[in-house]
Amino acid sequence: PIDNVQVSVVQNLNLYGNKDEEPFLPYLPQFTTLVWNLLMTVTPHTKHDALATISIRFLSSLIGKMMHRKLFEGEGTLREIFGRIIIPNLTIREIDQERFEDDPAEFILSDMESSDTESRRKCTQELLRAMCRQFEQETTTICSEHVNQMLGQFAADKSKWEMKDVAIHLML
């Protein structure tokens, strides 16, 4: 379906962005906006995992390069990345909880330790690391605010353990 086509397009953009940058540079801001907007429409359902992970990888590869710094350097942009990409994709989903209940050891292996599988959470942590390398001060400030807010939500209501989980993953 359309999801597979979108994944293929973003994979190709990723290849152009990483391998043959020079002819691709004039189009990079438009493609970045398109991938960003596409990522905003992706649901947490597993059918969109491939599209989410490849889109997050595309943004990570751009953020990680000094030459593309201007595309992301505004604090508003960094805050939007946190609020609309990082936090939602680090939040544990119902399917993740079911995987944990079915096989905790396998879940931990795939989620926390290095494994061959791609997950939204892993790609999102790589995006966060790329942001830390390029925008250390701004990212640290924004991240600290989110961690404090989430830990405060958890402290006020212990049933909101997902907030604590996200706060922990922000620090990993």
Side-chain angles (χ1 to χ4, degrees):
I2 189 79
D3 292 341
N4 295 337
V5 173
Q6 290 172 328
V7 167
S8 296
V9 169
V10 177
Q11 282 175 330
N12 285 323
L13 292 174
N14 217 346
L15 283 173
Y16 278 115
N18 288 321
K19 303 289 182 202
D20 195 17
E21 288 182 355
E22 206 167 306
F24 187 64
L25 280 176
Y27 309 103
L28 192 61
Q30 293 91 344
F31 282 125
T32 303
T33 301
L34 290 172
V35 171
W36 178 290
N37 290 335
L38 182 62
L39 191 53
M40 294 301 106
T41 66
V42 171
T43 68
H45 301 295
T46 54
K47 72 178 188 172
H48 291 133
D49 282 354
L51 182 57
T53 56
I54 194 67
S55 298
I56 293 168
R57 281 221 182 275
F58 175 72
L59 293 177
S60 293
S61 70
L62 296 179
I63 289 174
K65 294 180 182 175
M66 186 62 105
M67 65 188 290
H68 303 307
R69 183 180 172 94
K70 286 194 180 280
L71 290 172
F72 304 98
E73 70 183 346
E75 187 175 332
T77 303
L78 297 175
R79 287 189 180 280
E80 192 167 348
I81 290 171
F82 254 89
R84 299 192 67 193
I85 298 173
I86 292 176
I87 302 300
N89 286 293
L90 279 181
T91 302
I92 194 163
R93 302 174 297 170
E94 190 173 319
I95 188 77
D96 298 325
Q97 291 177 33
E98 290 171 6
R99 278 186 33 235
F100 177 77
E101 291 168 2
D102 291 343
D103 190 353
E106 176 62 30
F107 177 81
I108 291 169
L109 182 66
S110 67
D111 189 56
M112 304 275 296
E113 298 177 5
S114 62
S115 72
D116 296 336
T117 60
E118 290 283 302
S119 73
R120 289 181 186 222
R121 288 165 64 119
K122 270 190 191 172
C123 291
T124 303
Q125 285 175 323
E126 288 177 22
L127 173 63
L128 186 55
R129 282 187 205 99
M131 289 174 64
C132 285
R133 283 190 298 272
Q134 287 296 336
F135 308 101
E136 183 177 2
Q137 183 62 44
E138 300 92 331
T139 302
T140 302
T141 301
I142 296 168
C143 188
S144 296
E145 291 170 7
H146 281 280
V147 166
N148 290 333
Q149 175 191 10
M150 291 174 178
L151 291 178
Q153 289 175 358
F154 174 71
D157 183 358
K158 299 292 187 210
S159 69
K160 293 187 178 184
W161 61 268
E162 294 95 343
M163 295 291 110
K164 185 176 182 181
D165 181 66
V166 174
I168 291 168
H169 275 80
L170 283 172
M171 300 309 297
L172 291 178

